[in-house]
């Protein structure tokens, strides 16, 4: 894996994605800009239905159903993913960019052994690789994700949920990609296993050095793992902030939605666990509210928020889309 530290591994420019349905467009991803540098872990967090998976699938050019990219582009290692031929894409996907899906069971083939699945991934991309070389690499990968190599002979159903997810991670990094998207890689697992997989991801990433876009609805998990966090609401990245600002103790300014998420994290050190959360529900993506999509739930909303969509402005170390900081709002009290 050769990546220039100054050249982004991922550039998303003004990306919009919609599902075309009988009832009209579902605007799942709206005008997203995001850049990831080599070896960086960036978090993408937002409530269910905020468009995280749609964005992840769009990056991989693996959009499902009737989803279409309506605007913008995705570049991996400087190359536009949507301008590649099918053949170029096949060579690129999994070897330069890869993805870990939420459900390990659906990512693995139930009737094939772990060995066959890892070997298939290796040899289908590198025709010059001998069986012996592939087997050697498969063992190396099992060691990397800390599964006994005897399980190369196992079928997915013979492994625990945590082990299956480790196999999925091994397959995702088998070809040494520069960039891995992890879409809720631990959500299906219980809390203890979740923790161990998270530590595993951190350890492997430090060792191998690929960049990760870590997608989760779990704010505290993302804040812990990533160095920067993109906060997604109704298909938009409403804030991009370094993760060290994501504590109630930190003094940096945030988007009101981010503040709501911060307050929703139970404070484990406190005597009393208080979860305030954010009242109301995320909007229907078919009919987004006018102006700022968060305004119906925002305690600070003013008239301008109902009329004009805020553009991102730099506030301290963060980029925030909110009229509190755009200079157009009346009150400045966050
Ligand atoms: N195949 C589909 N057809 C129509 N709408 C869809 C489809 N898949 C997802 N959506 C809608 O797109 C929005 C974003 O979904 P998704 O990207 O899965 O969000 P997240 O991963 O943040 O939970 C949701 O409102 C969802 O209902
Ligand atoms: Mg999702």
């Amino acid at each position: 894996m050769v990546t220039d530290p100054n050249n982004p591994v991922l550039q998303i420019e003004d990306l919009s994605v919609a599902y075309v349905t009988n009832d009209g467009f579902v605007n799942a991803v709206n005008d997203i800009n995001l850049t990831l540098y080599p070896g960086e872990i960036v978090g993408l967090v937002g409530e269910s239905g905020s468009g995280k998976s749609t964005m992840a699938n769009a990056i991989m050019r693996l959009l499902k159903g009737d989803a279409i990219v309506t605007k913008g582009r995705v570049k991996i290692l400087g190359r536009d993913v949507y301008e590649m031929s099918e053949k170029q894409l096949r060579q690129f996907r999994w070897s330069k960019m890869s993805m870990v899906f939420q459900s390990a069971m659906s990512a693995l083939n139930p009737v094939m052994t772990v060995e066959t699945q890892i070997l298939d991934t290796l040899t289908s991309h590198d025709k010059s690789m001998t069986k012996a070389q592939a087997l050697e690499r498969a063992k190396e990968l099992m060691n990397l994700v800390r599964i006994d190599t005897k399980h190369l002979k196992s079928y997915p159903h013979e492994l625990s949920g945590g082990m299956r997810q480790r196999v999925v991670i091994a397959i995702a990094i088998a070809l040494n990609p520069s960039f891995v998207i992890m879409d809720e890689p631990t959500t299906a697992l219980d809390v203890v296993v979740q923790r161990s997989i998270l530590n595993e991801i951190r350890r492997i990433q430090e060792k191998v050095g690929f960049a990760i876009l870590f997608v989760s609805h779990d704010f505290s998990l993302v804040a812990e793992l990533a160095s920067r966090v993109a906060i997604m609401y109704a298909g938009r990245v409403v804030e991009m902030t370094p993760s060290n600002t994501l504590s109630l103790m930190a003094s940096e300014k945030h988007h009101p939605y981010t503040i709501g998420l911060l307050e929703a994290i139970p404070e484990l050190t406190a005597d009393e666990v208080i979860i305030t959360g954010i009242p109301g529900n995320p909007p229907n993506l078919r009919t987004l509210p006018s102006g700022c999509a968060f305004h119906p739930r925002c305690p600070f909303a003013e008239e301008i928020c109902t009329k004009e969509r805020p553009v991102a402005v730099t506030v301290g170390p963060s980029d925030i889309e909110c009229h509190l900081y755009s200079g157009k709002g009346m009150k400045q009290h966050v």
Side-chain angles (χ1 to χ4, degrees):
M1 183 179 56
V2 184
T3 35
D4 180 344
N6 299 312
N7 285 336
V9 286
L10 168 71
Q11 285 162 283
I12 302 177
E13 296 168 4
D14 276 333
L15 185 73
S16 296
V17 182
Y19 292 94
V20 183
T21 71
N22 291 337
D23 306 322
F25 277 36
V26 177
N27 301 298
V29 169
N30 300 304
D31 309 300
I32 284 187
N33 287 286
L34 189 74
T35 304
L36 242 85
Y37 289 92
E40 220 190 354
I41 306 183
V42 171
L44 179 65
V45 72
E47 287 163 288
S48 286
S50 56
K52 304 182 298 297
S53 293
T54 306
M55 176 167 145
N57 296 337
I59 295 169
M60 291 292 282
R61 208 171 131 185
L62 283 174
L63 282 167
K64 295 191 185 108
D66 292 323
I68 51 165
V69 171
T70 55
K71 192 154 72 68
R73 53 167 146 196
V74 177
K75 285 194 217 163
I76 310 273
L77 301 171
R79 291 183 58 191
D80 190 321
V81 173
Y82 285 84
E83 282 183 358
M84 289 180 193
S85 66
E86 285 294 327
K87 184 166 176 241
Q88 287 170 329
L89 187 63
R90 266 200 308 280
Q91 286 164 353
F92 205 78
R93 202 191 274 145
W94 311 120
S95 66
K96 301 285 190 265
M97 58 174 179
S98 87
M99 184 156 169
V100 173
F101 296 92
Q102 175 170 342
S103 162
M105 226 28 203
S106 62
L108 294 171
N109 187 330
V111 297
M112 278 161 68
T113 63
V114 169
E115 180 176 303
T116 311
Q117 300 190 51
I118 298 180
L119 261 50
D120 267 7
T121 305
L122 292 168
T123 53
S124 66
H125 279 264
D126 185 354
K127 307 279 185 224
S128 67
M129 200 179 237
T130 64
K131 175 98 193 279
Q133 284 169 330
L135 198 56
E136 206 40 51
R137 174 70 178 148
K139 286 180 183 158
E140 200 178 290
L141 286 163
M142 293 293 269
N143 288 330
L144 195 59
V145 296
R146 293 206 270 214
I147 305 180
D148 194 310
T149 50
K150 74 176 186 211
H151 287 301
L152 282 168
K153 299 290 176 209
S154 301
Y155 288 88
H157 69 87
E158 295 171 320
L159 305 175
S160 68
M163 277 162 90
R164 283 198 291 264
Q165 196 54 291
R166 283 165 197 253
V167 170
V168 171
I169 293 169
I171 292 174
I173 62 174
L175 300 161
N176 257 329
S178 308
F179 165 57
V180 184
I181 302 173
M182 301 194 174
D183 189 3
E184 313 247 8
T186 64
T187 303
L189 306 168
D190 71 58
V191 179
V192 177
V193 182
Q194 225 177 66
R195 170 83 16 218
S196 86
I197 296 283
L198 205 68
N199 290 336
E200 215 61 29
I201 291 170
R202 204 195 318 260
R203 193 182 52 79
I204 298 167
Q205 194 276 338
E206 275 172 15
K207 198 164 172 184
V208 186
F210 45 83
I212 302 178
L213 182 64
F214 188 89
V215 180
S216 177
H217 67 276
D218 187 332
F219 196 64
S220 54
L221 207 72
V222 170
E224 190 188 318
L225 187 72
S227 58
R228 289 191 294 143
V229 178
I231 292 120
M232 200 160 174
Y233 187 78
R236 301 183 70 84
V237 170
V238 295
E239 176 169 348
M240 174 60 108
T241 188
S243 56
N244 63 11
T245 71
L246 294 172
S247 143
L248 287 171
M249 305 298 169
S251 58
E252 283 85 2
K253 295 189 184 307
H254 289 293
H255 191 284
Y257 180 59
T258 310
I259 296 169
L261 290 173
L262 271 173
E263 289 175 347
I265 295 179
E267 197 55 66
L268 294 176
T269 48
D271 296 337
E272 205 182 346
V273 177
I274 302 168
I275 305 174
T276 33
I278 305 158
N281 294 306
N284 182 341
L285 298 175
R286 286 177 210 279
T287 48
L288 285 169
S290 60
C292 170
F294 187 60
H295 87 253
R297 296 172 81 185
C298 182
F300 306 110
E302 300 174 36
E303 201 184 344
I304 185 155
C305 309
T306 66
K307 294 190 169 145
E308 201 178 305
R309 198 170 68 200
V311 295
V313 289
T314 302
V315 186
S318 314
D319 289 317
I320 306 177
E321 289 186 353
C322 174
H323 283 305
L324 284 170
Y325 312 113
S326 70
K328 292 182 174 174
M330 299 299 286
K331 304 175 205 141
Q332 297 282 326
H333 53 179
V334 166

